[in-house]
Amino acid sequence: MNTRIYSQVGDLKGFSAKNCPSMPAFNSVLMCPPDYYDVSEARNPIMAENIGRVDRNLARAQWESVKAAFEKLGKKVRTMEPVSGFEDMVFSATQTLVGLTSRMEKVCLLGHMRHPSRRGEVAHFEKWFVSEQYRVARLKDPAMTFEGMGDCLWHPGKRLLWGGYGFRTDAEVYGQVAEAFEAPVILLKLVNERFYHLHTCFCPLTQEAVLIYPPAFSPESLEMILRMFPVVLAAGEREAVTKLPCNAAVIDSGTAIIQKGAVNAIRHLKALGLNALEVDTSEFLKSGASVCCLRMPLF
C-alpha cells in the first residue's frame, strides 16, 4: 500500500498514475442550501471586493440550477440543513474530505478551517456523515489547518490524491491524509492569493488531462503537474479570475458543469471530447467560488 507524500519532481521518478489502484467514481453529492449565504468578511481578495453585495434570492436560484445540473447528469443530490451564523456552509466542499479506503470503507476526514469564523461549520458536517455511517477521522494536531476537498482532490478513477497548500491548508497534514485514505498524495504549492484553494486553479478532467491556471503554482509544483498529466490545458488569466473555470465539477470524465461564459475553457473541453453544461454561479463568484465549491462527492 503506497501512502507516500510526493513533494518534489525527483520524487516522481518511476511513479505513474496508471500504476495506482482504481478508485470508484462518486455516485452522489452533498449540498447545503444558501439560506444564510453572504459576504461579510474578507477571507480572500475576491471577497474583499464584494462585502454586502450578495443577492440572496438570486443565489438560491443559482444554487438550484447547480443542483439540477448534477441531477440531470445522473448524480443524486443529498442536502443538509443550513445553520444560522454560518454563511459559508453552502460551500460544502471545504469542511471535510470524503473517500474510500482500499477496503472500500467510507471515510470522512474532518477539516480544520483557517479562519475561526468558519470552524463551527465542521461539527454540523461531522454529524451528517456519522448519520450516514462514514468512519470519521480527525487531524492529530489541532494547530494544523486543512480545508478538505477545497485543497485535496482525487485523481479521476485512481487511488491518488492531489494536495494543495500555502494559504488555507498546511503541507504537514498530508501524511495524515494519506494514512486516512490509504493513498499517496502529490503536493502542490499555491502562490497566488486569488487562487487560495487548489480547486480554484486545478481541475482534473480525465485520468490523462487537467485544466489549470499555471501562475497559481510554484515552478516545481507546475513541473510536477506537467510530469503526471500527458495533457495540461491552461486557463487564461482574465477568464481564470472572473469565471473560475478550474472550479468546474467534472462528472465521470464526460461532462463538466462549469460557469457560463468561460469560452476558452469550454473550447478546451470540447477539443478533448468532453461536454460542457453551463450554469450561472455569479453570486458565489463574489466569494471566489463556483460549482466545485458547492458540492461534496459521496461514495
Side-chain angles (χ1 to χ4, degrees):
M1 182 189 310
N2 183 1
T3 57
R4 184 174 175 182
I5 307 301
Y6 297 86
S7 59
Q8 299 178 343
V9 174
D11 297 340
L12 296 174
K13 185 176 181 180
F15 179 71
S16 169
K18 291 182 179 179
N19 297 329
C20 293
S22 296
M23 176 84 171
F26 67 92
N27 53 38
S28 55
V29 297
L30 174 63
M31 297 181 67
C32 182
D35 294 18
Y36 305 105
Y37 170 57
D38 200 359
V39 178
S40 60
E41 177 185 347
R43 302 186 187 100
N44 63 55
I46 300 93
M47 295 179 81
E49 302 164 2
N50 291 292
I51 291 175
R53 295 184 57 214
V54 168
D55 181 331
R56 193 168 286 167
N57 290 330
L58 180 55
R60 180 63 188 232
Q62 292 179 353
W63 182 89
E64 293 286 357
S65 73
V66 173
K67 178 176 179 288
F70 281 109
E71 293 170 335
K72 180 178 180 179
L73 295 173
K75 299 299 181 182
K76 182 178 180 180
V77 177
R78 308 286 305 279
T79 60
M80 63 180 293
E81 288 296 318
V83 179
S84 177
F86 296 113
E87 61 194 50
D88 279 357
M89 274 185 72
V90 65
F91 302 122
S92 57
T94 53
Q95 299 85 356
T96 63
L97 176 64
V98 173
L100 301 170
T101 68
S102 60
R103 302 177 303 283
M104 297 298 106
E105 178 187 20
K106 298 190 298 183
V107 175
C108 169
L109 178 61
L110 301 180
H112 185 241
M113 314 303 284
R114 175 71 66 179
H115 294 91
S117 57
R118 292 201 63 188
R119 291 175 185 168
E121 300 170 22
V122 177
H124 298 286
F125 283 84
E126 177 184 5
K127 182 179 179 181
W128 192 92
F129 280 104
V130 168
S131 73
E132 294 295 317
Q133 285 75 56
Y134 278 74
R135 177 172 66 83
V136 171
R138 294 173 174 79
L139 297 178
K140 297 174 182 176
D141 185 350
M144 294 294 180
T145 59
F146 173 58
E147 299 211 351
M149 194 164 270
D151 272 325
C152 193
L153 303 173
W154 287 101
H155 192 96
K158 290 294 183 178
R159 182 165 297 286
L160 169 64
L161 287 161
W162 293 85
Y165 69 97
F167 295 106
R168 299 293 186 86
T169 294
D170 294 318
E172 293 79 6
V173 304
Y174 283 110
Q176 297 173 59
V177 173
E179 180 182 333
F181 294 100
E182 302 173 350
V185 182
I186 299 175
L187 298 190
L188 300 175
K189 184 177 181 179
L190 305 177
V191 296
N192 185 323
E193 64 178 352
R194 292 188 74 90
F195 299 89
Y196 56 95
H197 275 150
L198 181 63
H199 69 181
T200 65
C201 53
F202 178 88
C203 181
L205 303 171
T206 69
Q207 290 187 13
E208 294 79 29
V210 65
L211 174 68
I212 66 170
Y213 178 57
F217 300 95
S218 70
E220 177 129 28
S221 294
L222 184 57
E223 190 174 348
M224 294 176 78
I225 295 170
L226 294 168
R227 179 74 63 91
M228 291 296 296
F229 283 96
V231 179
V232 178
L233 306 175
E237 180 177 3
R238 185 175 184 279
E239 195 166 280
V241 171
T242 63
K243 304 295 183 182
L244 279 184
C246 297
N247 199 244
V250 182
I251 309 300
D252 301 330
S253 294
T255 300
I257 306 173
I258 190 170
Q259 168 64 29
K260 73 174 185 178
V263 177
N264 292 326
I266 291 170
R267 187 180 298 120
H268 284 321
L269 297 178
K270 291 182 176 179
L272 277 179
L274 274 69
N275 297 313
L277 179 53
E278 296 183 63
V279 294
D280 186 5
T281 61
S282 59
E283 290 305 301
F284 302 104
L285 288 172
K286 293 174 180 178
S287 282
S290 187
V291 179
C292 196
C293 294
L294 295 170
R295 63 86 184 102
M296 170 59 70
L298 302 175
F299 297 86

